[in-house]
Amino acid sequence: MRVDRLLSMLLIISKKGMVTGKELAEHFEVSLRTIYRDIEKLGEAGIPIASIGGKGGGYYIMENYNVDNLFFKKDEASTFMAIMNNLNFLFGKNTKFNDMVLKIENTYKREKNTDKLSINMSHFSMESELKEYLFLMNQAIEENKLMVFDYCNRQMEYFERTVEPVQITFAAGQWSLVGFCRYRNDYRKFRLVRIRNLKMGDSFEKRDITKEGIEEIFKESYRKHSIRVTLKFSNRMGKRLTEYFQETDIQETEDNQYIVVDHFPYDEGLLKFILSFGKECEIVEPLYLRNELKEYIKELLLPYNG
């Protein structure tokens, strides 16, 4: 869109100080003639863009015009720059994202102490793949292209999935792709660490559903596949339970132990989660889950019984 291009052009010139028409044309993938017209439009809008001809020349914004703080206050920019710097690495040459970073950098460029906040949103086991995956997924979402990949399920088996991508999420330290799975015929979340051989497929027509509608589908699925579990924790774990549970779900008993009542997906992952607390946690209810945990522990001990 032309308005977006004009705005981005202004920010690029402001940040770099001097930019050639050729550089702008390559950045926006348009002709030099289009860049000349855009520069004229910026001038008509009252923005004093001047030019210097010859080698080392280009377009620049005259000193009496200040575009600082055009979009953000400095305190707002300082809060977000750490996130943006990290995401800039992850998203690579995503034009829309990079233009957004320019807006913030334009405000932030004279601020000192840029190391107040540091955030790392990469994953230790797939740092290089993460950048490639996010770039492809962003492109597929923007262009309405299918995503085809091999996905590892809870049984550690890989199956090919064809997905209509909708959104990329980052929650609880995990990147996920949200989309309509044509294999399951429903909306699913796919963890990026379980994806292999990711590639773009054919174009598809978007489904008539909002992101709020998709989230409601996930909530309903969670309710259907969850069970109510009561756990008892030792006094040693009491102060740390808020790392894992809502404070409202935690109750202290008269003997200085702690009871947690919550709903969990009913699968093998629940047993592994409970075992992660070791001897500090005991299943109170339901009884069948206690018995399942006993059998699970017996299987765990089999390799050590010989």
Side-chain angles (χ1 to χ4, degrees):
M1 297 176 66
R2 187 171 187 181
V3 174
D4 291 339
R5 188 172 66 242
L6 291 173
L7 187 56
S8 298
M9 187 181 299
L10 170 62
L11 294 170
I12 290 172
I13 297 173
S14 173
K15 179 186 177 184
K16 292 189 176 181
M18 183 81 69
V19 185
T20 67
K22 182 180 178 182
E23 289 174 327
L24 292 172
E26 290 176 352
H27 178 86
F28 294 106
E29 298 181 348
V30 297
S31 66
L32 269 174
R33 185 183 182 87
T34 299
I35 295 298
Y36 297 152
R37 287 199 300 264
D38 288 347
I39 294 293
E40 288 180 7
K41 286 295 180 183
L42 288 174
E44 292 173 5
I47 299 171
I49 295 182
S51 64
I52 297 176
K55 187 176 181 180
Y59 295 104
Y60 67 96
I61 298 176
M62 297 176 67
E63 293 182 1
N64 62 340
Y65 188 83
N66 185 9
V67 296
D68 286 354
N69 304 316
L70 184 60
F71 303 98
F72 297 95
K73 297 177 182 178
K74 287 189 176 181
D75 58 343
E76 295 171 336
S78 63
T79 302
F80 287 105
M81 274 310 297
I83 300 174
M84 293 301 178
N85 285 335
N86 187 265
L87 290 179
N88 188 47
F89 163 77
L90 293 172
F91 281 86
K93 296 182 179 180
N94 184 287
T95 303
K96 291 183 179 179
F97 178 82
N98 289 333
D99 287 346
M100 182 172 61
V101 172
L102 277 173
K103 294 178 183 179
I104 298 178
E105 284 184 340
N106 187 67
T107 298
Y108 193 67
K109 60 186 177 183
R110 291 192 178 93
E111 191 76 17
K112 296 180 180 180
N113 300 324
T114 59
D115 57 349
K116 295 177 184 176
L117 183 64
S118 177
I119 298 175
N120 187 348
M121 300 176 75
S122 62
H123 193 281
F124 74 93
S125 68
M126 54 175 297
E127 190 165 319
S128 59
E129 294 97 331
L130 183 60
K131 182 176 180 180
E132 178 186 353
Y133 284 7
L134 289 175
F135 177 76
L136 283 175
M137 289 175 179
N138 269 280
Q139 186 178 354
I141 291 172
E142 289 182 4
E143 299 178 6
N144 293 342
K145 294 288 185 65
L146 293 170
M147 298 253 69
V148 182
F149 51 85
D150 296 327
Y151 192 70
C152 184
N153 60 22
R154 293 185 182 275
Q155 286 71 45
M156 307 302 292
E157 300 169 326
Y158 276 96
F159 291 97
E160 185 177 87
R161 301 294 180 91
T162 300
V163 175
E164 302 170 13
V166 175
Q167 187 181 38
I168 300 169
T169 66
F170 181 81
Q174 290 285 350
W175 288 95
S176 299
L177 172 67
V178 177
F180 185 86
C181 177
R182 293 189 172 182
Y183 177 75
R184 295 294 186 185
N185 197 34
D186 201 357
Y187 286 93
R188 290 286 190 272
K189 286 184 180 179
F190 300 92
R191 289 189 178 185
L192 266 62
V193 292
R194 297 182 181 178
I195 290 176
R196 294 292 182 271
N197 303 321
L198 179 72
K199 56 183 180 291
M200 279 199 295
D202 298 330
S203 300
F204 70 94
E205 187 174 344
K206 279 189 175 181
R207 296 173 186 270
D208 186 18
I209 186 172
T210 64
K211 288 185 173 65
E212 291 76 15
I214 296 173
E215 191 61 36
E216 188 57 39
I217 291 174
F218 289 148
K219 288 179 181 178
E220 181 60 28
S221 176
Y222 186 87
R223 287 191 289 266
K224 286 182 179 179
H225 298 92
S226 295
I227 59 173
R228 189 174 186 267
V229 179
T230 302
L231 302 173
K232 182 167 69 174
F233 290 90
S234 67
N235 180 263
R236 287 182 56 189
M237 279 297 303
K239 304 301 181 183
R240 294 179 51 198
L241 290 178
T242 52
E243 297 178 23
Y244 307 96
F245 308 100
Q246 296 287 336
E247 192 170 358
T248 53
D249 297 327
I250 305 170
Q251 294 181 346
E252 187 174 2
T253 65
E254 292 181 357
D255 56 352
N256 294 324
Q257 293 186 316
Y258 291 83
I259 296 293
V260 173
V261 180
D262 203 350
H263 286 79
F264 301 89
Y266 184 37
D267 55 31
E268 184 181 0
L270 174 56
L271 297 179
K272 292 179 179 178
F273 174 71
I274 294 171
L275 282 174
S276 69
F277 295 105
K279 63 181 181 180
E280 310 299 332
C281 176
E282 176 189 349
I283 299 173
V284 178
E285 292 180 339
L287 181 60
Y288 64 82
L289 190 64
R290 286 176 62 95
N291 294 329
E292 286 182 17
L293 185 61
K294 290 179 186 177
E295 295 302 317
Y296 192 79
I297 293 174
K298 288 179 182 179
E299 292 182 19
L300 286 177
L301 291 175
L302 285 177
Y304 304 96
N305 291 335

